[in-house]
Amino acid sequence: MNDRLVRGIGVSPGVAYAPAVVVRWELPDVPDRTVSAGDVEGEVTRLHTAVSAVAAELDMLRQRVLQRAGEEESRIFDAQILMVSDVEFLKEVEYLIRNNQLSAETAFEFKSLELRNLWGTSGSARLRERVADLSAVQMRMLQRLLGVHEDRLWKGEEGERVIVVAHELSPGLTVQFDRDYVVGLVSEEGTRTSHAAILAHSLGIPAVMGAVGALSRITAGTPLLIDGQSGAVLLDPTPQEREETMAYIIRRRRLDFELQATLNQPCETADGHRIHLLGNVDLPEEIEPAQLNGAEGVGLLRTEFLVVGRANLPTEDEQATYFRRIADAFHDHQVVIRSFDLGGDKFPAAFQAPPEANPFLGWRSIRVCLDQPEIFRPQLRAVLRAAKDRPIKLMLPLVTTVEEVLESRALLTAESQALRSAGVPAAESVPVGVMIETPAAVIIADQLARVSDFFSVGTNDLTQYTLAVDRGNARLADRFTSHHPSIIRQLKIVAEAAARAGISASVCGEMASDPFSAILLVGLGFDTLSVSPQDLPLIKWVIRKVPVDAAREAAQRALDAATAEGVENAIREVVKQYIDMRLLGSGTLLPGRSRPANVQRAGTKM
């Protein structure tokens, strides 16, 4: 099977089976063309006509995304609209036209390539991420100027369903796909945080990105079976492999009936040990799914959507209104708000950040907030205002020192006093917790527990920083595993430190959304799990099937294991005594893993 298997990063869950359509949405060849002096102003006019047309086109795409995915996702196109209309950039293009008598397309391509080289070689991940937006703008502008612009929908012969394979998928290209025809996406470039990945997830299209070498191995018409959870792409699946996958789909459909029945039941192990199951909320659109799937509150409210893709920072009032909306949606259940996790590739356009060689090891998260109190203080005030008569908590990301917690608490106290002096209704304070995301935080967990009201483990970053593996690097995907023995041992340290201090400890990373890992976490001593809204029913169902003593046995075996495979086998040996393992694996593509959803098959709507 290895010769037929391409591995990438699963960015949008689901299984799809269909023939491939290879899309080569590439920059057109631009001839070096000069014009006469008398035609210069005509070229400038042609440039601005194209700018207006592309800006209108991008706004149309923005409106389409607004209708199909939501307001936050639609903001992806704001950056591109600002980019194509950038006054300073256009002045430089005009200068080349007027002073070098270059055609509009030649001048525009020259300046675009200059900017691409500057951003692409930058040490800043934020600038490298913006290259994708620049490519999309450059493509549309050059097509307009060269008269080769076209809108098309990709589908197979006679309207059959297809899986689109491309080198890179821009947001504009992704939103053009008709969901009735395009049932899956595969691209060589892209990560979980890329704009195209966010859109694919919102649109419910199974997608695999970072699939290095896909175009060299996949030709048009090749039957593909893709798993948007594991990142696996199987070429020319055999009838038996297709049959096994379809059998799994049928079993999961039957399981869905059982999952629905658990929604109104308590989340407790088979022998009555209570586990609190909360939801992770990235976007407002996830509030309703979390509610419908039985979330007992929000264990991780990410606030970056208030920043990313916007020209300005959100105001205090905007944040307070949003926080109240979330808290009111979950009534008397807790809502844990994570302070801005800025840095890496998440900086607002209005915020000037210095380029860094290793941005994920640099100025990000709590470091940015403490260094830039003009950003942090309004958020703290918004949290306090929203927490008036609401069970809201504050969580600090990427903490590595006790001083960071103490300084944050001091700022929170100062803002509370300022609000009280101004007569603004607000809570006196809120519980302050720490995200455990680095080995440093694990090692001083006992010290952090003394200044924190709760712990929450972010297993994605903890795994990345422990194993020195970039979680967005497709070439290292097989090395990124939260089942590494070092991760299991660190989780045990955190759970024990919290228990000794008498504070709660939860896990809000991707690990909590995996059913096998959920049993392991319960066995390690975590009493709260915060998971993706769509995974809530399955996680509750699994927890209700397994006794807590069995979970503890699985955890002990995992702690004794020397390899990640040994950890996984230890969990399986225990879990299989209580659950039909065929329900938790996706057959050919994901032996032993779980959670595919939104299955699509060519010619069949599922």
Side-chain angles (χ1 to χ4, degrees):
M1 187 190 301
N2 288 342
D3 292 340
R4 296 185 290 117
L5 189 64
V6 176
R7 287 245 175 229
I9 303 167
V11 301
S12 181
V15 175
Y17 168 62
V21 164
V22 178
V23 174
R24 300 187 182 277
W25 204 58
E26 299 171 339
L27 290 169
D29 291 329
V30 179
D32 292 331
R33 187 169 69 88
T34 57
V35 297
S36 65
D39 291 333
V40 162
E41 291 307 316
E43 291 298 300
V44 172
T45 299
R46 203 161 63 87
L47 170 69
H48 287 283
T49 300
V51 166
S52 298
V54 170
E57 182 179 287
L58 290 170
D59 186 62
M60 180 189 68
L61 290 173
R62 183 187 186 282
Q63 294 301 321
R64 184 182 299 179
V65 173
L66 179 64
Q67 295 173 0
R68 296 176 64 184
E71 182 177 353
E72 281 66 43
E73 288 89 341
S74 72
R75 290 175 179 166
I76 287 171
F77 291 94
D78 288 344
Q80 293 185 19
I81 293 171
L82 289 172
M83 197 175 288
V84 74
S85 307
D86 185 89
V87 174
E88 293 303 318
F89 179 80
L90 292 175
K91 281 183 179 178
E92 293 180 11
V93 176
E94 287 181 28
Y95 180 86
L96 288 179
I97 295 174
R98 288 194 170 101
N99 289 272
N100 296 77
Q101 294 182 215
L102 297 180
S103 68
E105 59 269 19
T106 304
F108 189 89
E109 183 193 38
F110 182 87
K111 295 306 298 184
S112 296
L113 291 175
E114 190 178 79
L115 198 56
R116 283 172 61 89
N117 290 334
L118 177 64
W119 288 356
T121 58
S122 168
S124 168
R126 179 175 63 94
L127 285 180
R128 292 197 301 272
E129 187 75 27
R130 290 187 68 191
V131 170
D133 284 328
L134 178 60
S135 296
V137 169
Q138 185 180 0
M139 183 92 65
R140 292 182 185 281
M141 280 293 298
L142 292 179
Q143 286 180 337
R144 284 283 178 184
L145 290 168
L146 291 169
V148 295
H149 177 73
E150 62 173 348
D151 280 322
R152 55 172 297 198
L153 297 175
W154 284 266
K155 53 182 136 177
E157 295 179 3
E158 299 181 356
E160 68 178 341
R161 296 182 172 192
V162 297
I163 293 173
V164 169
V165 182
H167 174 67
E168 185 174 14
L169 293 169
S170 69
L173 183 60
T174 303
V175 78
Q176 288 182 54
F177 296 142
D178 190 324
R179 188 70 177 84
D180 290 333
Y181 298 113
V182 176
V183 298
L185 303 173
V186 178
S187 72
E188 294 185 318
E189 298 290 333
T191 66
R192 289 185 182 93
T193 59
S194 64
H195 289 163
I198 293 170
L199 270 181
H201 191 279
S202 298
L203 296 171
I205 304 177
V208 175
M209 295 188 176
V212 179
L215 285 177
S216 65
R217 298 176 61 183
I218 299 173
T219 56
T222 302
L224 300 179
L225 189 58
I226 75 168
D227 190 323
Q229 178 63 43
S230 70
V233 180
L234 185 62
L235 285 63
D236 292 310
T238 65
Q240 181 181 353
E241 290 165 346
R242 295 200 303 272
E243 184 178 338
E244 289 175 355
T245 300
M246 292 308 298
Y248 165 75
I249 292 168
I250 292 171
R251 289 195 298 270
R252 281 304 301 268
R253 280 182 167 178
R254 292 171 181 164
L255 175 60
D256 285 343
F257 290 105
E258 289 191 49
L259 298 184
Q260 287 298 314
T262 69
L263 292 182
N264 296 320
Q265 296 177 342
C267 184
E268 56 186 27
T269 61
D271 50 356
H273 182 76
R274 187 73 165 88
I275 300 297
H276 300 284
L277 194 59
L278 289 70
N280 294 336
V281 173
D282 290 3
L283 302 168
E285 285 71 27
E286 292 178 319
I287 297 173
E288 184 177 5
Q291 291 174 313
L292 294 175
N293 287 334
E296 304 172 49
V298 177
L300 171 61
L301 177 63
R302 295 182 173 96
T303 57
E304 288 72 54
F305 99 92
L306 292 164
V307 171
V308 176
R310 290 184 46 158
N312 300 301
L313 290 165
T315 66
E316 177 185 326
D317 286 343
E318 284 182 281
Q319 295 182 68
T321 299
Y322 180 56
F323 299 155
R324 290 191 194 103
R325 174 185 173 188
I326 301 293
D328 290 343
F330 291 92
H331 305 295
D332 295 328
H333 293 304
Q334 65 171 307
V335 170
V336 180
I337 299 172
R338 185 177 71 180
S339 61
F340 284 137
D341 186 13
L342 299 176
D345 60 350
K346 291 179 290 188
F347 274 117
F351 189 83
Q352 298 299 315
E356 295 182 298
N358 294 299
F360 286 95
L361 294 177
W363 197 48
R364 60 169 295 202
S365 302
I366 193 62
R367 300 165 184 174
V368 172
C369 288
L370 292 175
D371 288 351
Q372 300 287 333
E374 66 272 20
I375 294 175
F376 199 21
R377 286 180 181 274
Q379 185 168 65
L380 294 177
R381 291 194 295 271
V383 169
L384 289 166
R385 288 169 56 188
K388 179 68 173 175
D389 302 323
R390 296 177 182 87
I392 287 176
K393 300 180 179 180
L394 175 66
M395 185 160 63
L396 309 175
L398 207 72
V399 167
T400 57
T401 70
V402 169
E403 290 86 350
E404 289 167 337
V405 183
L406 295 176
E407 189 174 346
S408 298
R409 282 186 173 277
L411 286 173
L412 185 68
T413 299
E415 293 310 316
S416 175
Q417 292 171 349
L419 288 170
R420 186 166 58 252
S421 298
V424 177
E428 288 290 323
S429 188
V430 293
V432 177
V434 165
M435 283 197 79
I436 305 293
E437 300 177 274
T438 66
V442 173
I443 293 169
I444 63 167
D446 56 339
Q447 299 292 335
L448 290 173
R450 295 175 184 175
V451 296
S452 305
D453 296 310
F454 63 93
F455 282 164
S456 188
V457 183
T459 53
N460 300 343
D461 269 336
L462 181 60
T463 301
Q464 174 174 247
Y465 291 128
T466 298
L467 303 183
V469 173
D470 179 357
R471 69 189 194 188
N473 189 326
R475 292 175 178 82
L476 301 176
D478 59 339
R479 290 181 170 86
F480 185 89
T481 171
S482 296
H483 289 154
H484 191 285
S486 64
I487 305 300
I488 311 306
R489 296 182 186 187
Q490 288 184 82
L491 288 167
K492 183 64 173 176
I493 291 171
V494 174
E496 290 180 340
R500 286 194 300 270
I503 64 175
S504 65
S506 69
V507 175
C508 61
E510 188 175 330
M511 196 174 182
S513 296
D514 175 79
F516 291 107
S517 299
I519 295 301
L520 170 64
L521 295 170
V522 169
L524 288 171
F526 291 93
D527 56 9
T528 303
L529 303 180
S530 189
V531 308
S532 302
Q534 69 268 20
D535 297 318
L536 285 162
L538 179 59
I539 298 303
K540 181 188 285 188
W541 181 83
V542 170
I543 288 173
R544 288 179 56 84
K545 290 285 186 181
V546 181
V548 70
D549 286 342
R552 289 167 180 161
E553 179 187 351
Q556 188 54 57
R557 291 187 185 184
L559 287 166
D560 293 336
T563 65
E565 183 179 7
V567 169
E568 292 168 2
N569 289 337
I571 305 170
R572 288 175 194 288
E573 287 302 309
V574 172
V575 173
K576 74 179 183 180
Q577 301 174 46
Y578 304 94
I579 297 175
D580 181 354
M581 299 296 285
R582 294 176 303 171
L583 294 172
L584 300 182
S586 56
T588 304
L589 297 183
L590 252 179
R593 289 296 302 278
S594 60
R595 297 191 291 123
N598 307 324
V599 177
Q600 296 289 326
R601 183 174 185 268
T604 308
K605 200 162 188 175
M606 296 185 168

